[in-house]
Amino acid sequence: METKDTTKKRLVLASLIIVMSIVIIGISISYAYFLNTIEEVNSSNQGLNITSGELTMNFTTERYIKTNSASLINDAEITSKADYTSFSVTMPSSSSADSATYNLYLTELNISDNLKNGYVKWALYDGSGSNQIANGNFASATTGTNLTLKNNITISKGNTNSYRLYIWLSNDPNNNQIDLLNGTLSAKVGFTATT
């Protein structure tokens, strides 16, 4: 038969184990949160989806892309005539990892049916607008889904990758494109760290 002292000691020991477990779990969650937070430099761009890493995304212009009407632009003139969204991804020099990988995409895509074709195009350029990194069109775009711009981009600690994203209506002088002028397109630029 156990004495009252032995029962009391077991109760105290069990209580200590539970308290220590809660403290350890709390510290682990706090540490994971600290490692996976993002610093949003532009306060109007809250809500970026970061799954891992220590990356910061900053927008020089708007994160939101919206168009209700646009003029037709020749593909050779996009960097001089088309509107663009300018942004950068930074891995601070204080990061615990030496490098990270991330994906860029358009999210919350809303596109009218008449713009789901090969004439509505996008191109991702470096920050100066001189080197094209990736391109595509909205022919297979679906409202409410993400559209991948570029996957598996590597960045090293202390570096910044700057971008310009152009979206335009591509002029084809051999086709009547009047139906493109009454469409709507809206999306947000997003990124996800993958390592």
Side-chain angles (χ1 to χ4, degrees):
M1 181 172 202
E2 291 186 21
T3 65
K4 285 186 177 182
D5 287 338
T6 305
T7 305
K8 196 174 200 180
K9 286 179 185 177
R10 286 187 181 180
L11 182 60
V12 169
L13 183 60
S15 297
L16 283 174
I17 290 172
I18 291 172
V19 168
M20 290 304 295
S21 298
I22 292 171
V23 169
I24 290 170
I25 291 170
I27 290 171
S28 299
I29 290 172
S30 298
Y31 182 71
Y33 175 78
F34 175 74
L35 285 180
N36 295 314
T37 58
I38 180 169
E39 175 187 353
E40 182 63 78
V41 179
N42 186 342
S43 62
S44 67
N45 294 321
Q46 295 292 330
L48 293 174
N49 181 22
I50 300 302
T51 58
S52 65
E54 299 174 355
L55 302 177
T56 301
M57 188 174 217
N58 182 31
F59 288 84
T60 307
T61 56
E62 284 292 314
R63 177 181 181 201
Y64 295 91
I65 299 166
K66 292 183 181 180
T67 181
N68 291 326
S69 63
S71 59
L72 295 167
I73 297 173
N74 294 321
D75 291 350
E77 300 175 310
I78 61 166
T79 57
S80 61
K81 293 188 176 180
D83 290 331
Y84 64 87
T85 296
S86 182
F87 61 96
S88 62
V89 176
T90 301
M91 186 172 191
S93 56
S94 60
S95 296
S96 59
D98 290 331
S99 65
T101 303
Y102 62 93
N103 302 329
L104 295 173
Y105 55 89
L106 292 178
T107 187
E108 296 181 27
L109 182 62
N110 188 357
I111 184 169
S112 57
D113 287 339
N114 65 316
L115 295 183
K116 296 176 184 178
N117 62 65
Y119 292 119
V120 183
K121 298 181 177 181
W122 62 267
L124 183 66
Y125 278 75
D126 66 3
S128 67
S130 58
N131 296 313
Q132 190 178 100
I133 297 167
N135 63 58
N137 61 50
F138 290 87
S140 61
T142 305
T143 292
T145 62
N146 292 345
L147 186 133
T148 300
L149 300 174
K150 180 79 174 160
N151 281 333
N152 300 318
I153 305 167
T154 302
I155 187 170
S156 299
K157 180 173 20 179
N159 288 334
T160 297
N161 293 344
S162 297
Y163 302 98
R164 287 184 183 183
L165 176 63
Y166 295 88
I167 295 179
W168 75 100
L169 302 177
S170 181
N171 184 37
D172 182 353
N174 298 321
N175 286 310
N176 182 350
Q177 296 176 291
I178 195 72
D179 62 321
L180 295 178
L181 301 179
N182 294 320
T184 59
L185 182 146
S186 66
K188 288 194 300 189
V189 178
F191 84 118
T192 304
T194 58
T195 58

